């Protein structure tokens, strides 16, 4: 099944218009730059309204995912440092 979710590129990172489940595989199609884009978000160069409920929800979800990723990385680092395969001197 395929679902279309729009988004914008900010600082080289694709920011979807709604949160995606962790691990979702995506395929990005960039429309040709010929003529005006039918999607006004593709021509958006400013900032979204920080008080918009969907923007707040998205940013909270991004912060949660960032925390989870950091926690997972720290756990993995600790597991590696405690691994019996770690050379001893």
């Amino acid at each position: 099944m395929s679902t279309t979710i729009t988004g914008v590129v900010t600082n080289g990172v694709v920011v979807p218009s709604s949160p995606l489940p962790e691990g979702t595989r995506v395929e990005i199609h960039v429309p040709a730059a010929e003529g005006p884009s039918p999607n006004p978000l593709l021509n958006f160069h400013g900032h979204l309204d920080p008080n918009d409920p969907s923007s707040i929800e998205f940013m909270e979800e991004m912060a949660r995912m960032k925390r989870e990723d950091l926690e997972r990385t720290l756990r993995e680092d600790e597991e590696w440092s405690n691994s019996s395969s770690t050379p001893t001197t």
Side-chain angles (χ1 to χ4, degrees):
M1 181 174 85
S2 178
T3 301
T4 300
I5 296 177
T6 60
V8 296
V9 176
T10 303
N11 294 324
V13 176
V14 176
V15 180
S17 59
S18 60
L20 298 170
E22 186 69 25
T24 299
R25 297 212 177 260
V26 298
E27 183 175 312
I28 300 170
H29 295 268
V30 179
E34 301 169 3
S37 170
N39 184 340
L41 288 177
L42 295 175
N43 294 321
F44 181 72
H45 299 290
H47 297 281
L48 297 176
D49 179 3
N51 298 317
D52 177 56
S54 62
S55 293
I56 293 169
E57 179 183 359
F58 175 74
M59 293 308 293
E60 288 172 349
E61 179 68 10
M62 292 298 288
R64 181 191 65 77
M65 292 171 64
K66 183 178 178 180
R67 280 191 308 273
E68 288 177 356
D69 184 56
L70 175 60
E71 290 168 0
R72 182 173 44 255
T73 301
L74 293 173
R75 269 195 317 273
E76 290 171 357
D77 286 351
E78 186 175 328
E79 289 171 5
W80 276 101
S81 65
N82 295 332
S83 170
S84 62
S85 63
T86 302
T88 58
T89 55

